[in-house]
Amino acid sequence: MQKTLGYAAHNNHSALVPFSFDRRELGAKDIQIEILFCGVCHSDIHQARNEWASSKYPMVPGHEIIGKVTAIGNAVIGFTVGDRVGVGCLVDSCRICSDCVDDLEQFCNTVTFAYNSADKISGGSTYGGYSAQIVVDHHFVLHVSDKLDPAAAAPLLCAGITTYSPLKHWQVGSGDKVGIVGLGGLGHMGVKFARAMGAQVVLFTTSANKIADAKRLGAHEVVISSDMQAMQQHLSSFDFILNTVAASHNLDSFTALLKRDGTLCLVGVPDHPHPSPAVGNLIYKRRQIAGSLIGGIKETQEMLDFCAEHNIVSDIEIIPIQQINQAYERMLRSDVKYRFVIDLASLNSA
Ligand code: NAP
Ligand code: ZN
Ligand code: ZN
């Protein structure tokens, strides 16, 4: 066992505090990674505060990890000490079920998440990236190009793949009109990807002060979602809408904007259910409401390579780990442009 320093939540209401815990020893197929940066996802807040009613404490959150390989097991291929690598939400799965065989490990019934999951190897709980180092099976470790700024690349490991994957699955491309709902960590990546894939991009926001930013990030048009007149102008015109909002809200004003056979894909996971959709909105034009969960390892590597090719990273604000609790409060006020990233070098400061 290797003593490792991190920051943990100990219950659903107290601040995260320094926490020392054990990482497993390096196994034959494992890679040990010194964590340099870790993004702060809204899922970290949902889980630290037990909003999904599945939290186990102590919990070390963090699943947007960028680091440097410090050791490799003797059965590891394709990595060497010193490589820049990433780890996202997934750290293990069964590898034999149909989801795993199809490179969709996120849907495996026995998937292990980076934190708050039973760790089948150590027997304890998994602890995430708000920490100094991590040991991960090499199948779940991603190569990250040196072309990308390492701090700004960290959010690609969750916010990036969670928006890239549905845009690819629903084959968004040139000639498509695509909506992104919510300009937060996921939403701003959705805008960048949809634009890079050639779509006509409309950003829906509740925050009037984000209009200029949304355009700078790649939106062709920005609509304040509470402005019913502006919403009406887009009725029945979208091929695809990706909804990243972290809170319960009425979906009907978005389903009404879809063309025949259009899809509203939900990736936000609010703690309370959305009010039921108006059935008329769906049956009238055979519209669909769908969901999507992060993405598999193969597609995450594809997304990282796409980012290196198109020079896409997240817009970030770097914080020392001592500011994580203030960062959570600011995220809840939508006061972040557009992802906090923890610099883990700060762990050793007083
Ligand atoms: P975030 O950075 O906090 O952004 C969420 C955005 O939603 C806000 O910036 C805001 O955008 C909008 N919003 C917040 N409260 C709202 C409200 N009451 N009504 C309408 N809009 C509201 O969060 P994130 O990290 O992007 O995560 C978003 C959600 O996705 C979370 O629920 C998270 O758990 C989930 N998630 C899901 C997956 C998956 O695999 N499906 C993966 C990662 C995260 P505007 O100011 O522009 O309105
Ligand atoms: Zn996440
Ligand atoms: Zn499986």
Side-chain angles (χ1 to χ4, degrees):
M1 291 292 181
Q2 311 175 54
K3 276 274 169 246
T4 302
L5 187 59
Y7 260 57
H10 288 271
N11 54 51
N12 68 355
H13 56 272
S14 303
L16 276 66
V17 291
F19 173 61
S20 175
F21 62 96
D22 290 323
R23 288 277 187 213
R24 69 172 188 253
E25 290 295 339
L26 189 76
K29 293 181 176 173
D30 285 339
I31 295 183
Q32 183 178 43
I33 299 161
E34 176 195 349
I35 301 177
L36 302 175
F37 298 101
C38 184
V40 181
C41 179
H42 206 111
S43 302
D44 300 348
I45 304 179
H46 289 311
Q47 297 197 83
R49 301 190 173 182
N50 197 23
E51 289 175 357
W52 296 341
S54 61
S55 299
K56 290 173 203 72
Y57 301 101
M59 179 194 301
V60 177
H63 56 208
E64 293 185 336
I65 296 168
I66 291 282
K68 195 172 68 179
V69 173
T70 47
I72 53 174
N74 52 25
V76 170
I77 42 169
F79 292 89
T80 45
V81 169
D83 284 355
R84 178 185 292 172
V85 292
V87 176
C89 302
L90 311 174
V91 295
D92 204 0
S93 70
C94 82
R95 322 293 167 84
I96 52 171
C97 74
S98 59
D99 294 320
C100 286
V101 169
D102 290 344
D103 294 311
L104 295 166
E105 300 92 340
Q106 73 271 31
F107 302 125
C108 174
N109 285 335
T110 57
V111 68
T112 304
F113 293 107
Y115 67 89
N116 198 42
S117 250
D119 185 345
K120 291 170 211 73
I121 300 170
S122 73
S125 197
T126 54
Y127 292 122
Y130 298 5
S131 61
Q133 60 110 357
I134 191 165
V135 176
V136 181
D137 185 298
H138 71 294
H139 178 79
F140 294 87
V141 179
L142 289 310
H143 294 278
V144 179
S145 167
D146 286 333
K147 281 195 222 160
L148 299 174
D149 175 76
L156 300 177
L157 276 304
C158 176
I161 184 60
T162 301
T163 49
Y164 179 91
S165 181
L167 291 169
K168 290 295 271 192
H169 181 75
W170 275 276
Q171 299 176 346
V172 161
S174 144
D176 288 332
K177 184 171 171 185
V178 170
I180 305 290
V181 188
L183 196 68
L186 268 58
H188 92 291
M189 292 311 306
V191 168
K192 291 186 186 207
F193 284 136
R195 179 70 187 247
M197 291 172 190
Q200 174 75 18
V201 183
V202 180
L203 184 273
F204 295 94
T205 181
T206 58
S207 309
N209 63 358
K210 292 182 182 173
I211 293 176
D213 268 349
K215 291 192 173 158
R216 174 181 61 77
L217 293 164
H220 294 95
E221 195 177 336
V222 182
V223 174
I224 305 297
S225 50
S226 55
D227 179 346
M228 284 309 144
Q229 225 175 346
M231 294 290 277
Q232 292 278 323
Q233 285 170 13
H234 291 274
L235 282 175
S236 304
S237 67
F238 282 86
D239 297 280
F240 183 74
I241 300 177
L242 184 66
N243 187 328
T244 72
V245 172
S248 169
H249 61 287
N250 197 311
L251 303 178
D252 298 338
S253 51
F254 297 108
T255 53
L257 304 190
L258 295 169
K259 276 181 187 166
R260 190 197 71 221
D261 289 323
T263 300
L264 170 67
C265 177
L266 308 178
V267 287
V269 190
D271 55 346
H272 293 95
H274 298 298
S276 295
V279 174
N281 265 7
L282 301 180
I283 62 173
Y284 174 54
K285 282 187 182 288
R286 207 162 52 191
R287 295 158 169 145
Q288 300 162 60
I289 297 179
S292 188
L293 177 68
I294 36 180
I297 293 302
K298 186 175 172 211
E299 192 174 41
T300 305
Q301 189 62 62
E302 177 192 306
M303 177 273 309
L304 288 166
D305 297 343
F306 180 90
C307 289
E309 190 186 327
H310 295 265
N311 200 22
I312 293 175
V313 285
S314 184
D315 283 37
I316 60 164
E317 181 176 337
I318 297 181
I319 55 163
I321 196 148
Q322 293 78 5
Q323 281 176 21
I324 187 62
N325 298 297
Q326 293 94 313
Y328 279 9
E329 294 309 320
R330 283 185 52 196
M331 280 172 76
L332 292 169
R333 296 196 300 269
S334 286
D335 175 21
V336 51
K337 291 185 169 179
Y338 279 88
R339 197 59 136 188
F340 288 113
V341 172
I342 303 165
D343 178 353
L344 272 310
S346 62
L347 255 182
N348 301 317
S349 324

